[in-house]
Amino acid sequence: KTHKRKTFINYNKALWKDYTTWIDNTLRSHTPSDNIHHETKFITDTIIQADKKFIPRGNINKRNKPIPPHILAQINNRNNLRSTNPNHPQIAELNRDINKNIADHKQQLWRQHVNEHWDHKHNRHTYWNTIKSLNNKLPTSTDPNRSIKFNNNILTTNKEIANSFNKHFTNPTNSTSDRNKRRTLRQVHNLNTTPITLTTNQVLTAIRNSKSSKALGPDKIAPIHIKHLSYHSVSIITKLYNRIINSNIIPTNWKIAKIIPILKPNKDPNTHTSYSPIALLSPLAKILESPIH
């Protein structure tokens, strides 16, 4: 089984001036589309292309020591047994043995680490990371072998868990329609309204007041990307906002959210009700949602 390597994006070494200029020139040479969905996709794709051109990225080197073969064999045995019969009584015993062997292995690695030649004079990176680990300040990752219980069903694969969380966090509503509702909607749509007009300066203020987050939304854009757009690029986005507001047409990719389950404090990590959802939307949509004065 092959595992996809984790990657990183180095925003500190991004060529922001080139990024801004390239997007500006691309949008200047573009003829706007009458279709809001197509126009939104073009702006999104332009930002993503600029990201790939001018923001460096790479693979994260895996520094973790490999698990010894005898512990891997125990884990595979446990996983196979759990997939065929999740309620098998031997699973609990295997978990205890695996945890004990892993603890012993970590203790051995720690002894080797302490005996190595490093201190604050020779290797400050190792020195401070060691101190942070002793104070429990290093980021921790989720156990990849964790099983989660959904309505008395124990799920083990990432796909099953993701699909079940999606159903759990989604609250679908049954949309019913009748003749009276349709008549009312037609009357509302035919009402005379005063067009709402946003200015470029108002949108710039909303962008400036937003957070410089690096979290990617479902459209692969982060708020930090929006922060580095030129005045002209923001003016084009402002025109798109005005069209969206006055036509009541929401771009399709703005209706999609990336849901991240966050474990509640002091809750059982093996139960689905112990997680709260965080929804990441498109940063372009978030700017339009923010107060614009």
Side-chain angles (χ1 to χ4, degrees), residues 88-103:
H88 197 286
Q90 191 178 354
I91 293 178
E93 182 180 351
L94 285 172
N95 281 333
R96 286 193 294 269
D97 292 340
I98 291 171
N99 291 336
K100 181 182 182 303
N101 290 335
I102 290 178

Side-chain angles (χ1 to χ4, degrees), residues 61-130:
N61 294 326
K62 190 173 182 180
R63 299 173 181 264
N64 295 333
K65 300 290 184 180
I67 298 177
H70 70 281
I71 300 180
L72 284 176
Q74 287 181 312
I75 293 175
N76 290 332
N77 185 22
R78 187 272 313 275
N79 291 344
N80 292 333
L81 186 62
R82 190 164 58 186
S83 63
T84 56
N85 184 6
N87 297 319
H88 197 286
Q90 191 178 354
I91 293 178
E93 182 180 351
L94 285 172
N95 281 333
R96 286 193 294 269
D97 292 340
I98 291 171
N99 291 336
K100 181 182 182 303
N101 290 335
I102 290 178
D104 293 340
H105 177 62
K106 287 182 177 179
Q107 188 177 41
Q108 182 181 359
L109 292 177
W110 172 250
R111 288 172 180 169
Q112 294 175 358
H113 177 70
V114 172
N115 291 331
E116 291 178 355
H117 181 65
W118 56 265
D119 54 32
H120 67 285
K121 294 181 179 180
H122 297 89
N123 193 334
R124 290 187 177 182
H125 178 76
T126 303
Y127 175 79
W128 286 112
N129 274 351
T130 303

Side-chain angles (χ1 to χ4, degrees), residues 267-279:
K267 295 294 184 178
D268 181 12
N270 298 106
T271 304
H272 76 285
T273 54
S274 300
Y275 294 83
S276 296
I278 290 182

Side-chain angles (χ1 to χ4, degrees), residues 229-268:
L229 296 178
S230 69
Y231 183 91
H232 178 263
S233 298
V234 175
S235 68
I236 292 178
I237 294 175
T238 302
K239 293 178 182 178
L240 175 64
Y241 284 163
N242 287 323
R243 290 176 59 190
I244 290 172
I245 293 173
N246 292 292
S247 65
N248 294 321
I249 298 176
I250 307 299
T252 303
N253 59 350
W254 288 12
K255 301 177 183 179
I256 301 174
K258 181 191 290 185
I259 306 297
I260 302 176
I262 302 297
L263 182 64
K264 300 175 185 177
N266 303 319
K267 295 294 184 178
D268 181 12

Side-chain angles (χ1 to χ4, degrees), residues 280-293:
L280 298 180
L281 300 173
S282 167
L284 291 172
K286 292 293 292 182
I287 293 298
L288 190 57
E289 288 181 353
S290 62
I292 298 179
H293 303 289

